Amino acid sequence: MSKVYTTQELIQILAAERQACLKGKRLKLEITVSGNPVIDQFISTDGLQQFTAYQDFKTAIHEYQKENRVSGIIWREVTVKGKNLHYPEIDTELIALNGDLEILKAAKNSIVEFWHEVSKGMDLYLSFNNSKQHQQIVTSDVERIVQRTEWASLCKWENSSFLEMILQLGWGKPEEAYYKRGRPRSGSEYIHAVNPGNRPIG
């Protein structure tokens, strides 16, 4: 029986392939920009060929994950204001299997509770327009979003004078929600908590 790669090994394989594609070592040569051979001869397609080669490789890895039941979950650790949380999320290059979604759903409440604890007294913003704009909201707005979503994740921006805690509240498949490709069946909302008077940067 052949060896089955682990989640971490798949992440490393994808990272190495991404680098090879970025360096031009992998190209999908049949890609054209316009489909018109007269126009295409004047347009550089290297970037598109590199991107497409990597996307094809990533799709093959996702199929491998399904066939061999290799989880897309990685475990994160976050520390904020002396409080720690160990929580699951899907690696941005992998997909979530059905069992992974159940793990994410089971972790949602503890992630949301941790975020509420560390964001007490902070200003809250909902991002929209691909995080280019932010609307100030209140805790009851957050609760409404929490009720209609299935899973959660966290992101922290911090330095000596600034703290931003981002709570991602999602539904459906995380790999579709991250890049807003799967709406309406998959998606997410981002709630930003910042110190009073600050604006979100994430």
Side-chain angles (χ1 to χ4, degrees):
M1 186 172 156
S2 61
K3 170 190 182 325
V4 174
Y5 291 102
T6 66
T7 303
Q8 285 303 322
E9 286 170 332
L10 291 184
I11 291 168
Q12 290 166 357
I13 289 166
L14 279 164
E17 185 66 17
R18 188 169 52 248
Q19 284 306 309
C21 289
L22 288 173
K23 291 176 181 170
K25 293 179 181 174
R26 309 273 194 284
L27 297 175
K28 185 157 185 174
L29 296 176
E30 68 271 17
I31 294 297
T32 59
V33 176
S34 71
N36 182 322
V38 176
I39 294 171
D40 285 341
Q41 68 182 330
F42 299 107
I43 299 171
S44 171
T45 57
D46 289 359
L48 187 59
Q49 290 170 341
Q50 291 165 6
F51 175 79
T52 305
Y54 179 68
Q55 292 306 312
D56 287 352
F57 185 82
K58 193 161 75 164
T59 299
I61 291 289
H62 294 170
E63 286 306 312
Y64 179 90
Q65 269 187 271
K66 289 179 201 168
E67 287 167 17
N68 295 280
R69 295 192 191 128
V70 181
S71 170
I73 285 185
I74 52 175
W75 288 87
R76 298 274 190 215
E77 185 91 31
V78 65
T79 303
V80 184
K81 300 178 180 177
K83 294 176 170 56
N84 298 312
L85 181 69
H86 188 66
Y87 66 97
E89 72 177 28
I90 299 300
D91 183 83
T92 55
E93 299 296 309
L94 297 177
I95 61 169
L97 305 180
N98 289 337
D100 294 343
L101 288 173
E102 295 310 311
I103 292 168
L104 294 181
K105 289 174 185 178
K108 176 186 166 186
N109 288 342
S110 61
I111 293 169
V112 171
E113 284 169 23
F114 178 85
W115 182 84
H116 276 303
E117 276 182 49
V118 300
S119 65
K120 275 190 183 109
M122 298 173 84
D123 289 346
L124 306 178
Y125 290 87
L126 174 66
S127 67
F128 57 99
N129 193 15
N130 291 326
S131 293
K132 294 184 184 101
Q133 294 176 280
H134 300 88
Q135 172 70 48
Q136 193 158 10
I137 59 174
V138 294
T139 306
S140 58
D141 297 322
V142 176
E143 289 311 313
R144 278 194 294 277
I145 297 168
V146 167
Q147 295 307 313
R148 62 177 202 252
T149 53
E150 299 174 321
W151 47 265
S153 191
L154 294 169
C155 182
K156 173 179 84 166
W157 298 96
E158 183 177 34
N159 63 36
S160 59
S161 60
F162 182 82
L163 173 64
E164 179 175 357
M165 284 300 301
I166 303 170
L167 175 65
Q168 179 188 14
L169 294 166
W171 64 93
K173 296 179 178 179
E175 64 271 15
E176 292 180 353
Y178 289 139
Y179 303 108
K180 302 193 183 295
R181 289 188 307 245
R183 283 188 182 258
R185 72 184 178 278
S186 299
S188 59
E189 302 290 354
Y190 293 88
I191 314 294
H192 303 250
V194 292
N195 289 322
N198 288 335
R199 295 281 297 177
I201 60 168

